[in-house]
C-alpha cells in the first residue's frame, strides 16, 4: 500500500481590539481574532512576494510589517510620508493580498456589549479563547472540504502577547484537544491540528504580518461598512462565506441535496442560517437538486369489471326514480383504498 499524503496548512492568528470586557471603548466595542489559513506551497510564494516588496521599498527584507506603524508612519515606515513611495507600497500590498485562492481568511468578531449580556459567570475574560475555538473549527472544515483524498494537517501560529496570556491560551487549546468543540469531535481535532506555537513579532513571520494587515480593515468594515476600505476590498474574496459552504455541501453530495437538507448540514457545521436564505443563495448559484420528484399516480390500468354506460350522460328523467346519481369518496384504510358511495 502506498503512503497516504498529508497536506500541510498553517493558521496564523492575530487580534484587533482589546479582549477586556469590563472596560472598553464605546467607539470600538468589538474584539476580532483574525486567522490566515494557507498551504505550505502558497505560504512560500507569499513570503517571496513580500520579501521582494520590502527590498523594493525599504532596501531590506528584515522590516516587520505592522499595521499600527504603517498608519502612524512610525519607525521604518516614516518613508511613507513620501506620497509616491506610499502609493507604491500600498499598491504592492494590495497586489499580493488580492490573489485569489492564495489563502483563506477565517475571522471571528465579538460584540462586547452583546457578550456581556449573555456570557456565563467566570467566562468574562475568555473572549480570546472563544474566538480561537471558532477559528480552529472553521479551519478544519475548510481543509477537509479542500482536501478530500489526503490527511490535511494544520499548524497554528499565534503572536506572543505575554507569558500569562499565552499560558492561558495554551490551556484553552489543550482543553479543546481533550473535549473538542460543538461541531468537531476531539479525535478529529487532534488528527487535524498537529501543533500549536507562539512567535514574536520580531521573528518576521510573514503569515502573522498578513493576519495583522487584514485584522484591522476587516473589523472597520464590520463597524462601518459604508467607509472606503481598499484593503478589505482587496481581500474580501478570500473570506469563508455561506455561499462557498453551500456549494461545497451540494457538490459533496453529488447534487442530491435540496435546500432543506443543505440547511440541515449547514446547521450541523455550526452555521446559523435560515432555510429561505439557503434556498435564495442556491437559486442565485443555479444549484438545484437532481432528484426527480416521484408523483403519486392512482391509475393502474383496467382493474375489475367496467359497468356498461347506460345513461351516456343523458340525465333527463320524465318521472321519479328513473335515474339515480351518486358521488364516490375514496377512503384510505392502512395500505388499502376503499370507495364509498352515498345514494
Amino acid at each position: 500500500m502506498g503512503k497516504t499524503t498529508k497536506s500541510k496548512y498553517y493558521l496564523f492568528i492575530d487580534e484587533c481590539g482589546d479582549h477586556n470586557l469590563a472596560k472598553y471603548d464605546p467607539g470600538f466595542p468589538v474584539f476580532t481574532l483574525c486567522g490566515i489559513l494557507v498551504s505550505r506551497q502558497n505560504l512560500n510564494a507569499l513570503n517571496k512576494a513580500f520579501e521582494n516588496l520590502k527590498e523594493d521599498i525599504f532596501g531590506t527584507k528584515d522590516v516587520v510589517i505592522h499595521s499600527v506603524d504603517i498608519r502612524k508612519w512610525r519607525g521604518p515606515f516614516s518613508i511613507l510620508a513620501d506620497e509616491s513611495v506610499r502609493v507604491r507600497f500600498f499598491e504592492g500590498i494590495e497586489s499580493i493580498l488580492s490573489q485569489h485562492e492564495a489563502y483563506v481568511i477565517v475571522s471571528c468578531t465579538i460584540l462586547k456589549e452583546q457578550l456581556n449580556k449573555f456570557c456565563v459567570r467566570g467566562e468574562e475574560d475568555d473572549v480570546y479563547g472563544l474566538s480561537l475555538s471558532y477559528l480552529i473549527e472553521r479551519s478544519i472544515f475548510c481543509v477537509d472540504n479542500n482536501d478530500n483524498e489526503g490527511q490535511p494537517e494544520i499548524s497554528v501560529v499565534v503572536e506572543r502577547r505575554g507569558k500569562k496570556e499565552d499560558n492561558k491560551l495554551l490551556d484553552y487549546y489543550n482543553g479543546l484537544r481533550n473535549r473538542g468543540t460543538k461541531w468537531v469531535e476531539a479525535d478529529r481535532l487532534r488528527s487535524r491540528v498537529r501543533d500549536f506555537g507562539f512567535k514574536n513579532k520580531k521573528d518576521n513571520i510573514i503569515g502573522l504580518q498578513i493576519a495583522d494587515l487584514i485584522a484591522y480593515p476587516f473589523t472597520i468594515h464590520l463597524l462601518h461598512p459604508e467607509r472606503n476600505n481598499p484593503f478589505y476590498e482587496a481581500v474580501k474574496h478570500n473570506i469563508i462565506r455561506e455561499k462557498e459552504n453551500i456549494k461545497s455541501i451540494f457538490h459533496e453530495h453529488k447534487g442530491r441535496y435540496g435546500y432543506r437538507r443543505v440547511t440541515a448540514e449547514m446547521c450541523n457545521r455550526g452555521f446559523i442560517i435560515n432555510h429561505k436564505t439557503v434556498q435564495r443563495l442556491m437559486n442565485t448559484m443555479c444549484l438545484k437538486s437532481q432528484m426527480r420528484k416521484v408523483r403519486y399516480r392512482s391509475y393502474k390500468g383496467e382493474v375489475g369489471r367496467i359497468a356498461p354506460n347506460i345513461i351516456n350522460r343523458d340525465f333527463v328523467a320524465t318521472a321519479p326514480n328513473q335515474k339515480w346519481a351518486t358521488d364516490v369518496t375514496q377512503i384510505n384504510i392502512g395500505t388499502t383504498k376503499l370507495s364509498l358511495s352515498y345514494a
Side-chain angles (χ1 to χ4, degrees), residues 11-15 19 31 33-34 125-136 156-177 179 196-199 208:
L11 177 62
F12 298 97
I13 297 177
D14 198 11
E15 63 185 277
H19 61 276
F31 172 81
L33 196 64
C34 183
D125 57 347
D126 207 15
V127 180
Y128 206 111
L130 293 173
S131 304
L132 177 68
S133 173
Y134 178 86
L135 262 63
I136 289 178
V156 181
V157 182
V158 185
E159 185 175 310
R160 289 191 181 277
R161 299 177 297 154
K163 186 175 181 180
K164 180 181 177 181
E165 292 83 358
D166 293 347
N167 287 337
K168 185 174 182 179
L169 188 62
L170 187 59
D171 289 341
Y172 192 92
Y173 165 71
N174 289 329
L176 289 177
R177 285 179 60 84
R179 68 176 181 271
F196 186 96
F198 297 90
K199 293 291 183 180
L208 291 176

Side-chain angles (χ1 to χ4, degrees), residues 197-235:
F198 297 90
K199 293 291 183 180
N200 291 310
K201 188 178 294 292
K202 63 181 181 181
D203 291 335
N204 201 5
I205 307 298
I206 196 61
L208 291 176
Q209 295 172 54
I210 295 175
D212 174 77
L213 282 172
I214 293 176
Y216 181 75
F218 190 83
T219 306
I220 290 298
H221 172 76
L222 293 176
L223 287 175
H224 308 288
E226 73 285 352
R227 284 191 187 178
N228 182 33
N229 197 338
F231 266 17
Y232 175 82
E233 294 298 322
V235 303

